[in-house]
Amino acid sequence: MIRRLAILLVALSFNGCTLIDQNTFAPAPEAKAQPAPVPDIPVDPRVPLVVIDYGEGLLPDYAGLLHSAVRAAESRYPDVQYDVIAVVADAAAAPEAQNNAVGVMRAIMRDRVPASRIHLGVRTDPAITGSQVRVYVR
């Protein structure tokens, strides 16, 4: 009787076990690559101080407007920081747009703003045509 009880207990203890075979140690199949989600981030949520539009073949005369805007910003906040951002529709136009942003930065520096308070950047925005230089303050 004790022997039958021992066999019954041993049989019941193996009830939750699985058979060890090749499937136990086989590697899991690789997950299929999913494309990274494209974040819906606007170019910059801030309202620009000045937007200079460089359309097809345009060389805008922005010196007077930029001078007035910089003087107004400086009178309100003497240590204001400027973000000069070139915005283009596609990355192929970035080098020319960056040169435009450097020109705007130099114009701001002519108004006696130290270069350490001016920050350059280039961004793409497929919603625009041509290129722009946007000046933000922070």
Side-chain angles (χ1 to χ4, degrees), residues 53-72:
D53 192 14
Y54 290 86
E56 292 296 320
L58 277 178
L59 289 176
D61 183 25
Y62 58 83
L65 173 67
L66 184 63
H67 175 74
S68 298
V70 168
R71 287 293 113 216

Side-chain angles (χ1 to χ4, degrees), residues 17-103:
C17 295
T18 60
L19 181 64
I20 297 176
D21 60 1
Q22 290 180 349
N23 292 333
T24 305
F25 299 105
E30 291 185 24
K32 293 184 179 181
Q34 298 290 329
V38 177
D40 188 19
I41 300 172
V43 171
D44 202 323
R46 301 176 289 176
V47 176
L49 179 67
V50 177
V51 176
I52 303 166
D53 192 14
Y54 290 86
E56 292 296 320
L58 277 178
L59 289 176
D61 183 25
Y62 58 83
L65 173 67
L66 184 63
H67 175 74
S68 298
V70 168
R71 287 293 113 216
E74 290 285 320
S75 68
R76 185 168 232 179
Y77 303 106
D79 292 331
V80 69
Q81 301 278 321
Y82 297 92
D83 292 333
V84 180
I85 308 295
V87 182
V88 292
D90 78 52
E96 182 181 345
Q98 186 174 3
N99 290 337
N100 295 337
V102 168

Side-chain angles (χ1 to χ4, degrees), residues 118-137:
I118 305 170
H119 312 279
L120 288 174
V122 178
R123 299 208 176 104
T124 58
D125 183 3
I128 69 167
T129 58
S131 68
Q132 297 177 342
V133 174
R134 299 177 186 173
V135 179
Y136 299 95
V137 293

